[in-house]
Amino acid sequence: KTTHVKGDQMQKSTKSNPSIVLVGLPWNHPMVPEQYHEQVRHGLEKLPEWMSAAGVQYSLISIQPEHGGLDALIERLDDKDQELDGVVVGFGVRGNNDVSLTALLENAISLAHEKRPNAKIMFNTSPPGTVDAVARWFPSIQLEAALALMPPPQVYILNKD
C-alpha cells in the first residue's frame, strides 16, 4: 500500500498520465545479489503492463556503472521532443553499498534536476514499488488498476554483506 505524505510537504502533480523513466541496474547485474535475480527480472518484465494500467507512459534505462553508466539517461533528458515528468531511481542503485553507485546516484539526480528542473525525482524499493513511487507524486494515476495486476508487496534487499 502506498504511503502518502500529508499536507503541503510535497508539490504533487494533478497529471493523470505522466511520462516517467526508471533508471536502474539490469536484473542480472553483478551488484544485484543472485538470490533476487528472478524476482527483479519478473518485476521489470511486468512493469510496463502495470504502468500502462495506471496510465503512466513508462520507459526503462538500464545503467552499467562499469561503462560510464549515464549516457542513455543524458540522451533521454536532452531529448526535449519527449515529455518527461519524472525520473525514478531504482533501489539497486540507491540501496547498494558500493561507493561507485553512490556517485552514480548523485550524478543521475543532479543531471535530472539540471536538465529537467520540473521533473519529479522518485525512488522505488523494488520494480513493483515503482508504481507506488509514481503514485506518491502523481496521485491522479489509475493506481487501483495497476494494483489489481500486481503481486502482493515484496521487500528486496540488494545490499551485499
Side-chain angles (χ1 to χ4, degrees):
K1 190 168 187 174
T2 303
T3 303
H4 295 279
V5 176
K6 306 257 188 248
D8 294 329
Q9 298 169 352
M10 295 170 56
Q11 190 81 16
K12 295 181 183 180
S13 172
T14 58
K15 190 167 189 177
S16 62
N17 62 336
S19 176
I20 304 297
V21 64
L22 169 61
V23 179
L25 295 174
W27 65 267
N28 59 351
H29 192 276
M31 290 182 181
V32 176
E34 195 170 325
Q35 70 262 30
Y36 298 111
H37 282 188
E38 269 313 298
Q39 290 173 309
V40 174
R41 181 195 59 75
H42 176 73
L44 290 174
E45 285 178 358
K46 299 299 278 179
L47 194 52
E49 177 185 355
W50 302 332
M51 296 296 262
S52 178
V56 176
Q57 300 168 46
Y58 160 80
S59 61
L60 171 66
I61 295 177
S62 292
I63 57 172
Q64 300 285 343
E66 59 278 5
H67 301 295
L70 295 176
D71 293 342
L73 176 61
I74 292 168
E75 185 177 319
R76 177 65 174 89
L77 293 169
D78 283 342
D79 185 354
K80 302 300 186 202
D81 291 334
Q82 290 190 45
E83 194 172 335
L84 184 62
D85 300 302
V87 175
V88 179
V89 180
F91 189 76
V93 174
R94 181 178 64 87
N96 202 299
N97 289 330
D98 190 284
V99 174
S100 66
L101 286 179
T102 300
L104 199 70
L105 170 66
E106 293 170 348
N107 286 333
I109 292 170
S110 293
L111 284 165
H113 178 69
E114 174 188 319
K115 294 178 176 288
R116 298 290 184 118
N118 294 324
K120 304 296 184 194
I121 307 295
M122 297 163 276
F123 304 103
N124 73 13
T125 55
S126 65
T130 304
V131 177
D132 290 337
V134 174
R136 285 192 297 270
W137 288 97
F138 300 90
S140 298
I141 68 168
Q142 301 295 316
L143 180 60
E144 295 304 319
L147 291 176
L149 301 174
M150 296 171 64
Q154 298 177 10
V155 175
Y156 299 91
I157 300 171
L158 298 180
N159 289 328
K160 289 183 179 179
D161 292 326

